[in-house]
Amino acid sequence: MKGKITREYIVESADRLFYQRGYEHTSFSDIADFVQISKGNFYYHFKSKDEILAAVIQLRLENTRNMLAKWEADGERPEDRIMSFIDMLIANLADIKMYGCPVGTLCTELAKLNHASRAEANELLFLFRSWLSRQFVSLGLEAKADELAMHLLARSQGVATLAQAFQDEGYEGFIKHEVEQMHAWLSCTASAAQSAQEAGAGR
Amino acid sequence: MKGKITREYIVESADRLFYQRGYEHTSFSDIADFVQISKGNFYYHFKSKDEILAAVIQLRLENTRNMLAKWEADGERPEDRIMSFIDMLIANLADIKMYGCPVGTLCTELAKLNHASRAEANELLFLFRSWLSRQFVSLGLEAKADELAMHLLARSQGVATLAQAFQDEGYEGFIKHEVEQMHAWLSCTASAAQSAQEAGAGR
DNA sequence: GTCTATATTTGGATAGAC
DNA sequence: GTCTATCCAAATATAGAC
C-alpha cells in the first residue's frame, strides 16, 4: 500500500507547485525533487505530465465538492452560505496575494495553452457558479440566479487578480474592503428578495 | 533602416503571440515563423527572450498611455471618460473571450514565473488604476478615488477572466450585462458625488 | 541584416537493474 | 516500487558565411 501513499503525495505536491509556479513552469524534476523520489519512479505512477494534471484537477474537484457540501450544511440561511464563498478571499488572503486564485489562474493558463484538461479545470469554476446559483434560487431569485452567481464569481476573481498583481502596492486593506462591499451587496440583494416575496405573499 | 522595420514587426508579432498563447508557451521559433525570418536573424535583433518581453511591455505601455490620453481628450465629463474604460470590454469582446485581458493575463503569468519584467507589467495595470483614480478625483471623489478605481479595475478583470473561461457557456450576453451594471454603478456614483458637491456649495 | 548550421541545456519520457 | 542510466525532442542561444 506504499504506492497509494506515494501517488497521493505526488498529486498533493503537484497541486501545490502548479498553483505556486503555474503548470507549464513546473517541471517533472521540480515535482520529483519536492517529493524526493527519482524521476524514474515518478513515471511508475504517472505516464505523462498531462496525466498528473488530470489527477490534480480531479483532486481539486473532489475537495471543492466537499467544501461546498460543508458550506451547504453549515450555513443556516442562503445568505450565510454565500457569505462562506465571499469569505474565502479572507481565509486564503496570504496565498491569494502570492499566487492568485487557484481556480482562476489555472483556467486562464490552460486556456492559453489550449490544453486537453481545460474543460475539467473550467468545471471547477462551474462548480462554484452552479452552487452559488442554487443559493440565489433559495433566496427566491430564480430568474436572476445565474446572473447573480456569475456577478459574484467575477468580482471575487477580479479581486484575486488585483491582489496578486499589486500585492502590497494595493491600498492597505483592498481585499477586506472589497469583501465588505460584497457583503453589503449580498445583504441588499437578499433583503430585496425577501420583501419581494413578502409582497407576493401578501397579495 | 530595414532593421527598424523588422524589429518593430518582431515586437508587434511577439505582442500578439504572447497575448494569445502566453509568454512561456510562445517559443522563439513561433515568433520567427510568424515573422518569417530565421532564428539566427532573430538574435541579431534581440539577445534573449527576456529582452523581447521587455520590448513588448514597453510597446504596450506606450500604446496604453496614448489610449488613455485619447480618452482623456475625447471624453467631455469624467463619467464619459470612465465609460471609455468600461466599454473596452465590449470593444474587445471577441479577443477577451478567446484570450482574456492582455494586461491581467500577463501580470498573472509573470507573477507565477517570478519574472524580472513583472514590475513593468504591473505598471500597465497601474496606468489604468491611476488614470481611473484621477477621473474619480475630477468627479469630486478625492477621498475614495483610489478605492473606486481599484473596484472598477477588479470588476473588469473578473469579467474578462470568466468570459475567457466560460466563453459561450456563460449565459448569453454575460459581458454586456456586466457592462450595463458597471454603467449603472458609475451613473449612481457620479450623481451621488454631484449632489454631495451641490449640497456643499449650497451651505 | 540575414541566412544556415550547430552548440547547449532542459524537460519529458523509457529501459532495465535491484 | 524504486532506482540509475539513458534517450529524444524542443527550446534557447551562438558562430560564422553571405
Side-chain angles (χ1 to χ4, degrees):
Chain A
M1 284 273 85
K2 191 93 177 289
K4 183 76 182 297
I5 293 168
T6 305
R7 196 192 143 93
E8 276 175 11
Y9 189 39
I10 291 173
V11 176
E12 281 163 20
S13 306
D15 184 12
R16 193 77 202 153
L17 289 171
F18 288 168
Y19 175 39
Q20 295 179 345
R21 308 181 188 180
Y23 169 68
E24 196 163 39
H25 193 57
T26 304
S27 72
F28 264 115
S29 308
D30 289 338
I31 306 173
D33 286 356
F34 188 88
V35 181
Q36 297 206 324
I37 59 170
S38 68
K39 282 204 279 181
N41 186 10
F42 198 106
Y43 279 90
Y44 170 78
H45 296 281
F46 294 95
K47 285 197 292 292
S48 73
K49 201 181 168 186
D50 290 353
E51 211 172 86
I52 193 176
L53 174 62
V56 165
I57 295 176
Q58 288 310 312
L59 174 67
R60 290 196 190 182
L61 281 168
E62 196 191 315
N63 291 343
T64 304
R65 287 197 191 97
N66 291 340
M67 183 172 66
L68 293 175
K70 186 169 159 39
W71 290 351
E72 187 95 42
D74 289 356
E76 241 177 87
R77 302 169 305 165
E79 302 93 291
D80 302 325
R81 294 176 217 139
I82 298 172
M83 217 77 105
S84 303
F85 170 80
I86 298 173
D87 289 343
M88 239 194 329
L89 285 167
I90 302 292
N92 302 318
L93 197 93
D95 274 353
I96 289 172
K97 272 192 183 179
M98 293 273 278
Y99 317 111
C101 168
V103 178
T105 55
L106 183 66
C107 288
T108 300
E109 182 177 4
L110 297 188
K112 298 238 174 185
L113 303 190
N114 219 336
H115 193 283
S117 291
R118 191 189 166 187
E120 283 74 50
N122 285 348
E123 180 65 23
L124 273 166
L125 258 184
F126 194 78
L127 234 43
F128 284 104
R129 174 182 169 187
S130 55
W131 184 88
L132 283 171
S133 195
R134 281 203 306 281
Q135 307 312 318
F136 285 112
V137 169
S138 298
L139 271 177
L141 295 161
E142 293 80 3
K144 288 185 165 188
D146 193 39
E147 266 175 45
L148 295 167
M150 286 287 278
H151 177 78
L152 198 52
L153 202 49
R155 278 173 75 167
S156 77
Q157 283 298 318
V159 169
T161 301
L162 291 202
Q164 184 192 19
F166 287 127
Q167 283 181 112
D168 292 318
E169 293 170 70
Y171 64 86
E172 188 52 38
F174 160 66
I175 298 185
K176 283 182 189 166
H177 181 81
E178 284 290 328
V179 164
E180 276 166 29
Q181 284 199 215
M182 285 188 245
H183 280 186
W185 171 86
L186 178 60
S187 300
C188 199
T189 304
S191 65
Q194 203 180 1
S195 36
Q197 277 199 323
E198 278 163 12
R203 247 187 300 178
Chain B
M1 284 279 85
K2 190 93 176 289
K4 182 76 181 297
I5 292 167
T6 304
R7 197 192 141 94
E8 275 175 11
Y9 190 38
I10 290 174
V11 177
E12 281 163 20
S13 306
D15 184 10
R16 192 77 201 152
L17 291 172
F18 288 168
Y19 175 39
Q20 294 179 347
R21 309 181 188 180
Y23 169 68
E24 197 163 40
H25 193 56
T26 304
S27 73
F28 266 114
S29 308
D30 290 337
I31 306 173
D33 287 355
F34 188 89
V35 181
Q36 297 205 323
I37 58 170
S38 68
K39 284 200 276 180
N41 187 8
F42 198 107
Y43 279 90
Y44 169 78
H45 296 282
F46 294 96
K47 287 196 290 291
S48 74
K49 203 179 166 184
D50 289 353
E51 212 173 84
I52 193 176
L53 174 62
V56 165
I57 295 177
Q58 288 311 310
L59 174 67
R60 290 196 189 181
L61 282 168
E62 195 190 317
N63 291 342
T64 303
R65 287 197 191 95
N66 291 339
M67 184 173 66
L68 292 175
K70 186 168 159 40
W71 290 350
E72 187 95 42
D74 289 356
E76 243 179 86
R77 302 168 306 164
E79 303 92 290
D80 301 325
R81 293 176 216 139
I82 297 172
M83 217 77 107
S84 303
F85 170 80
I86 297 173
D87 289 343
M88 241 194 327
L89 285 167
I90 301 292
N92 302 318
L93 198 92
D95 274 352
I96 288 172
K97 271 192 184 179
M98 292 272 278
Y99 317 112
C101 167
V103 178
T105 55
L106 183 66
C107 287
T108 299
E109 182 177 5
L110 297 188
K112 298 239 174 185
L113 303 191
N114 218 338
H115 194 281
S117 291
R118 190 189 167 188
E120 282 73 51
N122 286 347
E123 181 65 22
L124 272 167
L125 258 185
F126 194 77
L127 235 42
F128 284 103
R129 174 182 171 188
S130 55
W131 185 88
L132 283 171
S133 195
R134 282 202 306 282
Q135 307 311 318
F136 285 112
V137 169
S138 298
L139 272 176
L141 295 161
E142 294 81 1
K144 288 186 164 188
D146 193 39
E147 267 176 44
L148 294 167
M150 286 287 280
H151 177 79
L152 198 51
L153 203 49
R155 278 174 74 167
S156 76
Q157 284 298 317
V159 170
T161 301
L162 290 201
Q164 184 191 19
F166 287 126
Q167 284 181 114
D168 291 320
E169 293 169 70
Y171 65 85
E172 188 54 36
F174 160 66
I175 297 185
K176 284 181 188 167
H177 181 82
E178 284 289 327
V179 164
E180 278 165 27
Q181 284 199 217
M182 285 188 245
H183 281 185
W185 171 85
L186 177 59
S187 301
C188 198
T189 305
S191 65
Q194 205 181 358
S195 35
Q197 277 200 323
E198 278 163 11
R203 247 188 299 184

PDB file of all heavy atoms in Angstrom, chain B residues 113-130:
ATOM      1  N   LEU B 113       5.751  33.151 -12.730  1.00  0.00           N
ATOM      2  CA  LEU B 113       7.113  32.872 -13.200  1.00  0.00           C
ATOM      3  C   LEU B 113       8.151  33.603 -12.349  1.00  0.00           C
ATOM      4  O   LEU B 113       9.337  33.326 -12.464  1.00  0.00           O
ATOM      5  CB  LEU B 113       7.281  33.311 -14.660  1.00  0.00           C
ATOM      6  CG  LEU B 113       6.337  32.738 -15.706  1.00  0.00           C
ATOM      7  CD1 LEU B 113       6.838  33.087 -17.104  1.00  0.00           C
ATOM      8  CD2 LEU B 113       6.225  31.227 -15.566  1.00  0.00           C
ATOM      9  N   ASN B 114       7.653  34.532 -11.552  1.00  0.00           N
ATOM     10  CA  ASN B 114       8.574  35.379 -10.791  1.00  0.00           C
ATOM     11  C   ASN B 114       9.553  36.050 -11.756  1.00  0.00           C
ATOM     12  O   ASN B 114      10.758  36.063 -11.514  1.00  0.00           O
ATOM     13  CB  ASN B 114       9.326  34.537  -9.765  1.00  0.00           C
ATOM     14  CG  ASN B 114       9.517  35.312  -8.485  1.00  0.00           C
ATOM     15  OD1 ASN B 114       9.460  36.541  -8.493  1.00  0.00           O
ATOM     16  ND2 ASN B 114       9.738  34.616  -7.401  1.00  0.00           N
ATOM     17  N   HIS B 115       9.016  36.565 -12.821  1.00  0.00           N
ATOM     18  CA  HIS B 115       9.843  37.089 -13.909  1.00  0.00           C
ATOM     19  C   HIS B 115      10.365  38.490 -13.621  1.00  0.00           C
ATOM     20  O   HIS B 115       9.698  39.280 -12.963  1.00  0.00           O
ATOM     21  CB  HIS B 115       9.018  37.099 -15.199  1.00  0.00           C
ATOM     22  CG  HIS B 115       9.837  37.293 -16.426  1.00  0.00           C
ATOM     23  ND1 HIS B 115      10.307  38.518 -16.822  1.00  0.00           N
ATOM     24  CD2 HIS B 115      10.279  36.401 -17.339  1.00  0.00           C
ATOM     25  CE1 HIS B 115      10.994  38.378 -17.939  1.00  0.00           C
ATOM     26  NE2 HIS B 115      10.990  37.098 -18.281  1.00  0.00           N
ATOM     27  N   ALA B 116      11.564  38.748 -14.141  1.00  0.00           N
ATOM     28  CA  ALA B 116      12.214  40.039 -13.921  1.00  0.00           C
ATOM     29  C   ALA B 116      11.355  41.214 -14.393  1.00  0.00           C
ATOM     30  O   ALA B 116      11.401  42.302 -13.812  1.00  0.00           O
ATOM     31  CB  ALA B 116      13.569  40.063 -14.626  1.00  0.00           C
ATOM     32  N   SER B 117      10.567  40.992 -15.456  1.00  0.00           N
ATOM     33  CA  SER B 117       9.761  42.088 -16.002  1.00  0.00           C
ATOM     34  C   SER B 117       8.406  42.234 -15.329  1.00  0.00           C
ATOM     35  O   SER B 117       7.554  42.986 -15.805  1.00  0.00           O
ATOM     36  CB  SER B 117       9.547  41.882 -17.506  1.00  0.00           C
ATOM     37  OG  SER B 117      10.748  42.054 -18.198  1.00  0.00           O
ATOM     38  N   ARG B 118       8.222  41.510 -14.271  1.00  0.00           N
ATOM     39  CA  ARG B 118       6.930  41.539 -13.602  1.00  0.00           C
ATOM     40  C   ARG B 118       6.504  42.955 -13.219  1.00  0.00           C
ATOM     41  O   ARG B 118       5.363  43.361 -13.431  1.00  0.00           O
ATOM     42  CB  ARG B 118       6.994  40.675 -12.345  1.00  0.00           C
ATOM     43  CG  ARG B 118       5.662  40.466 -11.742  1.00  0.00           C
ATOM     44  CD  ARG B 118       5.717  39.804 -10.386  1.00  0.00           C
ATOM     45  NE  ARG B 118       4.390  39.940  -9.799  1.00  0.00           N
ATOM     46  CZ  ARG B 118       4.069  39.622  -8.576  1.00  0.00           C
ATOM     47  NH1 ARG B 118       4.977  39.113  -7.776  1.00  0.00           N
ATOM     48  NH2 ARG B 118       2.848  39.801  -8.141  1.00  0.00           N
ATOM     49  N   ALA B 119       7.430  43.695 -12.662  1.00  0.00           N
ATOM     50  CA  ALA B 119       7.106  45.043 -12.195  1.00  0.00           C
ATOM     51  C   ALA B 119       6.649  45.930 -13.347  1.00  0.00           C
ATOM     52  O   ALA B 119       5.706  46.713 -13.204  1.00  0.00           O
ATOM     53  CB  ALA B 119       8.312  45.670 -11.492  1.00  0.00           C
ATOM     54  N   GLU B 120       7.290  45.781 -14.492  1.00  0.00           N
ATOM     55  CA  GLU B 120       6.918  46.601 -15.646  1.00  0.00           C
ATOM     56  C   GLU B 120       5.512  46.226 -16.138  1.00  0.00           C
ATOM     57  O   GLU B 120       4.742  47.086 -16.558  1.00  0.00           O
ATOM     58  CB  GLU B 120       7.923  46.437 -16.794  1.00  0.00           C
ATOM     59  CG  GLU B 120       9.211  47.202 -16.601  1.00  0.00           C
ATOM     60  CD  GLU B 120      10.106  46.574 -15.554  1.00  0.00           C
ATOM     61  OE1 GLU B 120      10.356  45.361 -15.637  1.00  0.00           O
ATOM     62  OE2 GLU B 120      10.512  47.291 -14.610  1.00  0.00           O
ATOM     63  N   ALA B 121       5.207  44.940 -16.096  1.00  0.00           N
ATOM     64  CA  ALA B 121       3.867  44.518 -16.496  1.00  0.00           C
ATOM     65  C   ALA B 121       2.825  45.087 -15.535  1.00  0.00           C
ATOM     66  O   ALA B 121       1.769  45.565 -15.948  1.00  0.00           O
ATOM     67  CB  ALA B 121       3.781  42.990 -16.539  1.00  0.00           C
ATOM     68  N   ASN B 122       3.153  45.061 -14.255  1.00  0.00           N
ATOM     69  CA  ASN B 122       2.231  45.624 -13.270  1.00  0.00           C
ATOM     70  C   ASN B 122       2.016  47.110 -13.508  1.00  0.00           C
ATOM     71  O   ASN B 122       0.940  47.645 -13.228  1.00  0.00           O
ATOM     72  CB  ASN B 122       2.754  45.392 -11.855  1.00  0.00           C
ATOM     73  CG  ASN B 122       2.594  43.961 -11.414  1.00  0.00           C
ATOM     74  OD1 ASN B 122       1.883  43.176 -12.040  1.00  0.00           O
ATOM     75  ND2 ASN B 122       3.244  43.601 -10.331  1.00  0.00           N
ATOM     76  N   GLU B 123       3.045  47.753 -14.019  1.00  0.00           N
ATOM     77  CA  GLU B 123       2.946  49.176 -14.322  1.00  0.00           C
ATOM     78  C   GLU B 123       1.798  49.437 -15.308  1.00  0.00           C
ATOM     79  O   GLU B 123       1.137  50.474 -15.252  1.00  0.00           O
ATOM     80  CB  GLU B 123       4.278  49.677 -14.897  1.00  0.00           C
ATOM     81  CG  GLU B 123       4.326  51.148 -15.245  1.00  0.00           C
ATOM     82  CD  GLU B 123       4.194  52.076 -14.051  1.00  0.00           C
ATOM     83  OE1 GLU B 123       4.475  51.635 -12.919  1.00  0.00           O
ATOM     84  OE2 GLU B 123       3.771  53.236 -14.243  1.00  0.00           O
ATOM     85  N   LEU B 124       1.569  48.481 -16.187  1.00  0.00           N
ATOM     86  CA  LEU B 124       0.446  48.586 -17.124  1.00  0.00           C
ATOM     87  C   LEU B 124      -0.877  48.695 -16.367  1.00  0.00           C
ATOM     88  O   LEU B 124      -1.722  49.547 -16.665  1.00  0.00           O
ATOM     89  CB  LEU B 124       0.390  47.340 -18.012  1.00  0.00           C
ATOM     90  CG  LEU B 124       1.213  47.343 -19.292  1.00  0.00           C
ATOM     91  CD1 LEU B 124       1.294  45.938 -19.857  1.00  0.00           C
ATOM     92  CD2 LEU B 124       0.595  48.292 -20.304  1.00  0.00           C
ATOM     93  N   LEU B 125      -1.040  47.800 -15.410  1.00  0.00           N
ATOM     94  CA  LEU B 125      -2.260  47.833 -14.596  1.00  0.00           C
ATOM     95  C   LEU B 125      -2.329  49.150 -13.826  1.00  0.00           C
ATOM     96  O   LEU B 125      -3.395  49.750 -13.692  1.00  0.00           O
ATOM     97  CB  LEU B 125      -2.237  46.691 -13.587  1.00  0.00           C
ATOM     98  CG  LEU B 125      -3.063  45.448 -13.839  1.00  0.00           C
ATOM     99  CD1 LEU B 125      -2.959  44.516 -12.648  1.00  0.00           C
ATOM    100  CD2 LEU B 125      -4.518  45.782 -14.088  1.00  0.00           C
ATOM    101  N   PHE B 126      -1.164  49.545 -13.345  1.00  0.00           N
ATOM    102  CA  PHE B 126      -1.106  50.758 -12.537  1.00  0.00           C
ATOM    103  C   PHE B 126      -1.504  51.988 -13.347  1.00  0.00           C
ATOM    104  O   PHE B 126      -2.102  52.925 -12.829  1.00  0.00           O
ATOM    105  CB  PHE B 126       0.298  50.935 -11.959  1.00  0.00           C
ATOM    106  CG  PHE B 126       0.358  51.949 -10.872  1.00  0.00           C
ATOM    107  CD1 PHE B 126      -0.093  51.650  -9.588  1.00  0.00           C
ATOM    108  CD2 PHE B 126       0.843  53.227 -11.112  1.00  0.00           C
ATOM    109  CE1 PHE B 126      -0.060  52.600  -8.579  1.00  0.00           C
ATOM    110  CE2 PHE B 126       0.873  54.186 -10.108  1.00  0.00           C
ATOM    111  CZ  PHE B 126       0.420  53.862  -8.842  1.00  0.00           C
ATOM    112  N   LEU B 127      -1.157  51.963 -14.624  1.00  0.00           N
ATOM    113  CA  LEU B 127      -1.516  53.059 -15.525  1.00  0.00           C
ATOM    114  C   LEU B 127      -3.038  53.246 -15.541  1.00  0.00           C
ATOM    115  O   LEU B 127      -3.538  54.372 -15.435  1.00  0.00           O
ATOM    116  CB  LEU B 127      -1.030  52.716 -16.937  1.00  0.00           C
ATOM    117  CG  LEU B 127      -0.126  53.677 -17.693  1.00  0.00           C
ATOM    118  CD1 LEU B 127       0.947  54.270 -16.824  1.00  0.00           C
ATOM    119  CD2 LEU B 127       0.497  52.962 -18.882  1.00  0.00           C
ATOM    120  N   PHE B 128      -3.759  52.148 -15.678  1.00  0.00           N
ATOM    121  CA  PHE B 128      -5.217  52.213 -15.669  1.00  0.00           C
ATOM    122  C   PHE B 128      -5.724  52.665 -14.305  1.00  0.00           C
ATOM    123  O   PHE B 128      -6.602  53.506 -14.208  1.00  0.00           O
ATOM    124  CB  PHE B 128      -5.823  50.841 -16.009  1.00  0.00           C
ATOM    125  CG  PHE B 128      -5.739  50.494 -17.463  1.00  0.00           C
ATOM    126  CD1 PHE B 128      -4.802  49.597 -17.927  1.00  0.00           C
ATOM    127  CD2 PHE B 128      -6.599  51.079 -18.381  1.00  0.00           C
ATOM    128  CE1 PHE B 128      -4.711  49.283 -19.281  1.00  0.00           C
ATOM    129  CE2 PHE B 128      -6.522  50.775 -19.740  1.00  0.00           C
ATOM    130  CZ  PHE B 128      -5.578  49.866 -20.187  1.00  0.00           C
ATOM    131  N   ARG B 129      -5.126  52.096 -13.278  1.00  0.00           N
ATOM    132  CA  ARG B 129      -5.563  52.429 -11.930  1.00  0.00           C
ATOM    133  C   ARG B 129      -5.427  53.915 -11.640  1.00  0.00           C
ATOM    134  O   ARG B 129      -6.354  54.557 -11.146  1.00  0.00           O
ATOM    135  CB  ARG B 129      -4.745  51.617 -10.920  1.00  0.00           C
ATOM    136  CG  ARG B 129      -5.005  51.967  -9.479  1.00  0.00           C
ATOM    137  CD  ARG B 129      -4.101  51.141  -8.584  1.00  0.00           C
ATOM    138  NE  ARG B 129      -4.143  51.582  -7.209  1.00  0.00           N
ATOM    139  CZ  ARG B 129      -3.323  51.115  -6.270  1.00  0.00           C
ATOM    140  NH1 ARG B 129      -2.420  50.193  -6.566  1.00  0.00           N
ATOM    141  NH2 ARG B 129      -3.404  51.549  -5.040  1.00  0.00           N
ATOM    142  N   SER B 130      -4.265  54.472 -11.938  1.00  0.00           N
ATOM    143  CA  SER B 130      -4.055  55.871 -11.584  1.00  0.00           C
ATOM    144  C   SER B 130      -4.870  56.794 -12.501  1.00  0.00           C
ATOM    145  O   SER B 130      -5.364  57.827 -12.060  1.00  0.00           O
ATOM    146  CB  SER B 130      -2.569  56.232 -11.618  1.00  0.00           C
ATOM    147  OG  SER B 130      -2.016  55.922 -12.874  1.00  0.00           O
TER     148      SER B 130
END
